[in-house]
Amino acid sequence: MQKLSPIALALLFISQTTWADGHHHAPVVPSDEPLPVLDSLNDDKPLDLKIPHMERFDVDGVSVIFTPIDELPILDISLTFKGGSAKDDTIRQGGYGIAGMTATMMTQGTTHLDENTFAEKAELLGVVFGATAYRDTFVYAFRSLSDDKELYPALDLFADMIQNPRFDETILKRNQAQADIGFERAKQDPAHVASVEFLKTMYGTHPYAISTHGTQQSVASISRDDLIAYKNKYLTKGNAHIAITGDISADDARTIAKRLINALPQGERATDLPTPIAPKPQHVHIPYDSIQTHVYIGHMGEKETKDPVELQNRTNFSLANSVLAGGDFNAHLMKEIRDKHGYTYGITGAMNVFDERGYYRISFSTQSDKAKEAIIKTLQVIENTRKNGIKDSEFNLERTSRKYAYPMSLATNTAIHNKASELNYDNLPDSHITDYLVRLDRATPEAVNQSLNTYIRPDEFIIVTVGKEKPDLSSLFKQDKAKGLKSDLKK
């Protein structure tokens, strides 16, 4: 096994991340010869995607997935827990931001080591720790050299972090003060204001209505007891999934998993969230002194699924939506709203999927006196694409591009580790990795175009605008909204 010092490891990480921006290029040779022409996309050969070998086993009832990779002397570990920020309110009513603050403070010292000593030890060992609260999950992350000399002291520190977080009152107050500054700054960003209002309008009283960061008022009220309560209820053995990737043996992986599991408190798997109720179509405007109006258009979407038919349908939609609203300069919305009419610099739309129902959202900003025109034109482009579909040439280009880009999703240790962690958390088979390519091959122009009508439903749209003047969109929200929409689209 190759050995690298912590400094050498850091240099390796830097070289990997800066390679594309460096000057490692072949010399440019001037030539008058024309560039070669690609004859056809129909001659593309089937991809032979090799899935990394993954082993699955249980340790004390906790599911573990291990992927041995020996190209680099590195080990990645993650512990994923169900819950995330969506469970904040179960710790204390209105306690939004508890999961996020817990994540922040997990790496700010232990009961044995103060913040500075903990950070110094991690730096000397060349180990990277992390804790992140997402909407539906909470994740501990670890990366270290895999050589025993560096690995086992780093694991000791990691286990201490997991088992004995300091949650220092003084540091908590400092974090809250810094968060307060962040919230004040966010008020100066109309895009942030629009995003917050969009979630609030979309989800109402559901936990998804609040950002993972919480609110300015709720974060200021977080106590040390809240952090301890969250850790003991959700960051537990019964709620954990472990992924280990790197240059160690399967026996060592089992030993490490056992060691980390012993650092966790007992507990049960988190319960599912309630199903959110879709809002009524409406226009919400937030006055904001700006020459630009920020626009968010969307409706409630879908939840995570394992159903093969639904996965195929969503792959179909992903292809169609990239052509409609993918954000590149060939997307329909970009060509119409940016290039042809000059309403905006950029416009994108995507489906966001969670454990419970997510949302579809299109967003852009435009000059305030053009907001109504831009919104109407955006709806027209959506309706025309739903009606007429995307071209076969657009479909073929998007599908082929994805097929040949997909192997890059497994090109690094980190990418492989993240994929393995996803499989373990969602209890998906290894074949799920290559099933995506199968779904791409099975996609047809007809099915892809049909998906636009299934997953984009203009009659359910809410529209959030943030700007100086409220655009008059009353005709879009008549009692028969679909009729009102079609009426405006004909203008």
Side-chain angles (χ1 to χ4, degrees):
M1 181 188 303
Q2 181 185 4
K3 294 184 178 181
L4 292 178
S5 68
I7 293 177
L9 178 63
L11 291 174
L12 174 63
F13 291 159
I14 293 171
S15 67
Q16 287 180 325
T17 57
T18 61
W19 181 269
D21 294 326
H23 302 282
H24 306 281
H25 306 294
V28 177
V29 180
S31 173
D32 294 328
E33 294 294 323
L35 292 173
V37 177
L38 180 64
D39 292 331
S40 173
L41 291 176
N42 296 325
D43 297 329
D44 58 305
K45 301 296 188 294
L47 289 176
D48 181 20
L49 181 63
K50 295 182 179 179
I51 304 176
H53 173 65
M54 299 177 182
E55 300 181 32
R56 301 175 190 240
F57 45 84
D58 283 357
V59 177
D60 292 349
V62 177
S63 63
V64 180
I65 187 166
F66 168 59
T67 310
I69 301 176
D70 59 7
E71 281 81 3
L72 291 172
I74 296 171
L75 186 69
D76 288 291
I77 302 173
S78 61
L79 288 77
T80 303
F81 306 88
K82 182 176 180 178
S85 67
K87 291 293 187 178
D88 284 343
D89 200 42
T90 66
I91 300 301
R92 177 172 53 79
Q93 186 175 3
Y96 307 114
I98 290 175
M101 186 62 74
T102 302
T104 297
M105 297 197 67
M106 288 301 302
T107 58
Q108 293 180 322
T110 72
T111 55
H112 304 111
L113 302 168
D114 64 24
E115 181 182 25
N116 292 333
T117 305
F118 180 86
E120 289 169 1
K121 289 197 69 171
E123 184 176 0
L124 287 172
L125 290 167
V127 62
V128 178
F129 298 128
T132 306
Y134 299 97
R135 194 172 300 279
D136 290 311
T137 58
F138 188 107
V139 179
Y140 292 139
F142 169 96
R143 167 168 272 205
S144 169
L145 290 166
S146 57
D147 183 74
D148 291 355
K149 182 179 178 181
E150 286 82 21
L151 176 58
Y152 286 100
L155 284 169
D156 287 339
L157 194 59
F158 189 43
D160 190 26
M161 180 195 94
I162 292 171
Q163 189 169 13
N164 306 300
R166 194 176 189 89
F167 294 150
D168 185 275
E169 295 272 13
T170 301
I171 296 175
L172 172 59
K173 291 179 181 178
R174 184 189 71 198
N175 291 341
Q176 288 171 317
Q178 292 173 342
D180 189 66
I181 294 172
F183 282 117
E184 286 297 325
R185 287 178 177 172
K187 293 177 183 178
Q188 310 307 312
D189 179 5
H192 173 79
V193 174
S195 177
V196 169
E197 188 60 36
F198 180 86
L199 290 176
K200 178 182 175 182
T201 305
M202 181 66 69
Y203 289 108
T205 60
H206 192 273
Y208 287 169
I210 306 296
S211 160
T212 57
H213 302 293
T215 69
Q216 189 168 13
Q217 294 73 26
S218 66
V219 170
S221 71
I222 292 173
S223 69
R224 184 174 186 272
D225 288 343
D226 293 331
L227 309 182
I228 294 171
Y230 185 91
K231 171 187 174 295
N232 290 337
K233 184 169 185 178
Y234 294 113
L235 309 183
T236 67
K237 174 180 172 181
N239 199 34
H241 305 75
I242 299 178
I244 302 174
T245 305
D247 188 21
I248 60 172
S249 68
D251 287 342
D252 286 341
R254 289 176 181 271
T255 300
I256 289 170
K258 174 74 172 179
R259 189 174 192 174
L260 297 177
I261 289 168
N262 287 340
L264 298 173
Q266 296 293 327
E268 299 178 354
R269 182 167 173 79
T271 58
D272 293 338
L273 293 170
T275 300
I277 299 173
K280 294 180 180 179
Q282 59 190 288
H283 173 209
V284 177
H285 180 76
I286 305 296
Y288 192 94
D289 188 12
S290 172
I291 60 173
Q292 292 271 309
T293 292
H294 287 257
V295 181
Y296 280 35
I297 303 172
H299 58 65
M300 193 164 288
E302 316 308 320
K303 63 184 291 185
E304 292 280 4
T305 184
K306 299 178 186 177
D307 178 67
V309 174
E310 180 64 10
L311 287 172
Q312 180 66 58
N313 291 338
R314 292 187 191 180
T315 299
N316 295 341
F317 175 67
S318 181
L319 290 165
N321 186 67
S322 288
V323 176
L324 167 65
D328 65 64
F329 291 109
N330 290 319
H332 291 191
L333 284 173
M334 282 287 279
K335 286 193 290 188
E336 281 289 323
I337 306 305
R338 173 191 162 111
D339 295 349
K340 184 175 180 179
H341 295 282
Y343 288 131
T344 186
Y345 287 110
I347 179 170
T348 60
M351 181 74 77
N352 295 270
V353 179
F354 307 133
D355 282 359
E356 292 300 329
R357 293 186 66 184
Y359 56 83
Y360 179 78
R361 184 176 71 187
I362 291 171
S363 61
F364 65 94
S365 61
T366 188
Q367 190 172 322
S368 291
D369 61 355
K370 300 292 184 182
K372 179 179 179 178
E373 295 176 29
I375 292 169
I376 296 298
K377 178 56 65 175
T378 296
L379 296 175
Q380 288 176 341
V381 173
I382 294 170
E383 191 64 21
N384 289 339
T385 305
R386 291 174 73 243
K387 178 180 178 181
N388 300 319
I390 66 174
K391 299 176 182 177
D392 286 0
S393 58
E394 294 172 320
F395 164 76
N396 288 327
L397 180 59
E398 180 64 26
R399 181 171 67 169
T400 301
S401 298
R402 290 193 178 203
K403 285 172 62 177
Y404 285 95
Y406 186 64
M408 292 304 296
S409 67
L410 297 171
T412 66
N413 281 40
T414 300
I416 294 170
H417 178 77
N418 290 341
K419 182 63 68 174
S421 180
E422 174 190 344
L423 296 181
N424 192 37
Y425 179 79
D426 291 326
N427 193 27
L428 295 167
D430 295 1
S431 61
H432 182 76
I433 297 174
T434 52
D435 284 348
Y436 176 70
L437 293 174
V438 174
R439 293 197 299 272
L440 287 178
D441 285 335
R442 288 177 177 171
T444 65
E446 295 77 17
V448 164
N449 285 327
Q450 177 58 43
S451 72
L452 286 168
N453 291 281
T454 301
Y455 293 106
I456 299 182
R457 302 179 292 274
D459 59 324
E460 297 178 16
F461 276 159
I462 63 169
I463 300 177
V464 173
T465 55
V466 175
K468 185 176 293 185
E469 299 293 336
K470 180 179 181 179
D472 181 8
L473 305 178
S474 56
S475 61
L476 300 178
F477 296 94
K478 297 176 181 177
Q479 186 173 2
D480 183 353
K481 180 177 184 294
K483 182 178 178 180
L485 177 60
K486 291 177 182 178
S487 174
D488 252 0
L489 293 182
K490 292 179 181 178
K491 293 181 180 180

